[in-house]
């Protein structure tokens, strides 16, 4: 059987697209390796109507809903994908130990992987009091002692942004030297600066209480927000020839298209605003574009059949 659409990634983007497409009576298959980006998060925040739901609950609800409309779920990692030129674009998806599945369209919702700062005990606090997104987790730490962690430019910009949530903010540049302009701007906004390299987080059950540096006194704090690098979670976009920007994010065009016939992308991998609700919206946008292409192809097939009759 050839599926109408294969979707790689079972997060908000992939599941949202699958729901729309299944309700369009499309043959849809979703591949999910169950290693989401927000594995450490306790809540999905700023998602209208679903505020505070856990990421696991959101994914479980989405999986139940798409199956209800006939979509298939395969809990396995896609190991390869190939474009197969045909009358209409088809993709050949390799799963597990060489199983091949064909689809007319392909949606990549593979996301990105965050690189955590290398600091002792930081992974144990990730998702509880160490976060990468103040929009997602700033409210929970409002008016607490917050730390902005990153290289010089990133630490300064993040610290200024964190003033929205607290007046007690410290910029930590982890051994990097801030510019005179950044130092002055931070001072004008009441933001302290620590330039020493971080060594260890003091915490209890993931709740950070202080930072130990390579020199100087410890810094008491209640939460840390970091700005660090990201990487594509999957090699599939590169395999298919997607265009990347200077930050390693994938360029998308109108309706989440990639510029490659039949290939679409939704979610964090394209570097747009990286919220769960935005990923779900991008999945819906991609789904409508995919369905429209399928409708046009179906009409062409019926026209050809009629002419050849």
């Amino acid at each position: 059987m050839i599926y109408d659409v294969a979707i790689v990634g079972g997060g908000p983007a992939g599941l949202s697209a699958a729901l729309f497409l299944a309700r369009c009576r499309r043959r849809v298959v979703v591949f999910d390796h169950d290693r989401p980006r927000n594995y450490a998060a306790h809540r999905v925040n700023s998602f209208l109507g679903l505020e505070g739901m856990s990421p696991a609950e959101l994914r479980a609800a989405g999986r139940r809903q798409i199956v209800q409309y006939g979509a298939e779920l395969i809990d396995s990692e896609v190991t390869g994908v190939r474009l197969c030129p045909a009358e209409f674009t088809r993709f050949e998806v390799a799963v597990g130990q060489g199983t091949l599945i064909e689809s007319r369209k392909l949606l990549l919702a593979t996301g990105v992987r965050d690189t955590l700062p290398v600091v002792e005990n930081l992974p144990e606090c990730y998702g509880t009091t160490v976060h990468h997104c103040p929009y997602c987790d700033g409210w929970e730490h409002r008016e607490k002692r917050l730390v902005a962690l990153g290289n010089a430019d990133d630490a300064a910009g993040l610290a200024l942004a964190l003033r929205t949530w607290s007046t007690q903010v410290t910029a930590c540049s982890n051994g990097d030297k801030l510019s005179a302009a950044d130092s002055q701007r931070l001072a004008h906004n009441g933001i302290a600066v620590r330039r020493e390299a971080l060594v260890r987080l003091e915490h209890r059950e993931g709740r950070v209480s202080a930072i130990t540096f390579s020199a100087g006194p410890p810094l008491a704090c209640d939460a840390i927000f970091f700005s660090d690098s990201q990487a594509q979670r999957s090699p599939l976009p590169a395999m298919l020839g997607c265009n990347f920007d200077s930050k390693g994010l994938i360029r998308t065009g109108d309706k989440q298209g990639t510029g490659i016939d039949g290939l679409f992308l939704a979610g964090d991998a394209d570097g747009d605003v990286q919220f769960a609700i935005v990923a779900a919206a991008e999945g819906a946008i991609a789904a409508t574009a995919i369905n429209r292409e399928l409708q046009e192809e179906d009409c062409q097939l019926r026209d050809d059949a009629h002419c050849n009759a």
Side-chain angles (χ1 to χ4, degrees):
M1 179 180 74
I2 297 175
Y3 290 92
D4 291 318
V5 190
I7 298 172
V8 185
L15 292 174
S16 176
L19 181 60
F20 273 81
L21 289 162
R23 284 177 56 84
C24 292
R25 304 181 67 193
R26 296 299 178 184
R27 296 186 299 275
V28 180
V29 59
V30 177
F31 301 97
D32 183 19
H33 58 34
D34 196 29
R35 294 195 296 275
R37 178 188 183 189
N38 59 359
Y39 69 91
H42 299 283
R43 296 163 50 100
V44 175
N45 292 317
S46 302
F47 200 130
L48 186 63
L50 301 177
E51 178 71 13
M53 177 181 283
S54 76
E57 289 174 328
L58 178 61
R59 292 177 67 250
R63 289 165 67 93
R64 289 193 300 269
Q65 289 166 4
I66 68 168
V67 170
Q68 173 186 341
Y69 291 104
E72 294 183 41
L73 275 164
I74 296 179
D75 291 316
S76 184
E77 186 169 7
V78 172
T79 55
V81 62
R82 186 168 68 93
L83 184 63
C84 304
E87 184 176 4
F88 293 112
T89 302
R90 288 181 182 172
F91 296 87
E92 192 174 71
V93 179
V95 187
Q97 301 299 315
T99 302
L100 298 178
I101 292 174
E102 285 189 300
S103 68
R104 296 167 65 186
K105 307 292 175 185
L106 180 63
L107 172 64
L108 299 179
T110 46
V112 295
R113 181 180 62 254
D114 294 301
T115 303
L116 299 184
V118 181
V119 178
E120 185 180 340
N121 294 334
L122 188 144
E124 288 83 349
C125 301
Y126 184 49
T128 302
T129 51
V130 173
H131 312 281
H132 66 268
C133 176
Y135 286 99
C136 298
D137 298 290
W139 170 264
E140 282 66 36
H141 304 291
R142 62 195 182 279
E143 284 309 329
K144 299 289 183 64
R145 298 167 299 181
L146 306 184
V147 165
L149 172 60
N151 63 31
D153 292 340
D154 290 340
L158 180 57
L160 290 165
L162 285 173
R163 285 289 271 104
T164 299
W165 289 272
S166 178
T167 56
Q168 305 175 75
V169 179
T170 301
C172 290
S173 60
N174 201 19
D176 210 4
K177 184 177 181 179
L178 277 76
S179 69
D182 280 341
S183 296
Q184 187 176 55
R185 194 175 183 203
L186 291 171
H188 286 167
N189 282 273
I191 296 172
V193 175
R194 292 293 299 267
R195 298 174 177 83
E196 305 95 329
L198 279 70
V199 173
R200 182 175 64 256
L201 303 188
E202 307 300 335
H203 74 100
R204 183 173 182 179
E205 295 181 349
R207 297 198 171 276
V208 64
S209 59
I211 300 172
T212 299
F213 296 89
S214 58
L219 173 67
C221 68
D222 301 302
I224 298 170
F225 289 83
F226 67 90
S227 177
D228 216 318
S229 61
Q230 298 176 341
Q232 291 293 324
R233 178 173 287 278
S234 169
L236 299 180
M239 287 182 186
L240 289 165
C242 290
N243 291 317
F244 293 80
D245 66 15
S246 60
K247 295 181 179 180
L249 299 166
I250 300 166
R251 299 183 189 275
T252 54
D254 188 41
K255 307 296 184 184
Q256 301 301 128
T258 62
I260 299 169
D261 287 344
L263 178 64
F264 295 79
L265 183 135
D268 293 348
D270 68 358
D272 205 341
V273 179
Q274 294 180 338
F275 302 156
I277 193 169
V278 174
E282 287 186 357
I285 291 168
T288 59
I290 290 169
N291 188 59
R292 191 172 298 116
E293 285 193 5
L294 291 169
Q295 287 171 335
E296 291 171 357
E297 292 175 8
D298 291 342
C299 287
Q300 184 62 51
L301 286 170
R302 288 191 289 268
D303 288 343
D304 291 346
H306 176 75
C307 290
N308 295 328

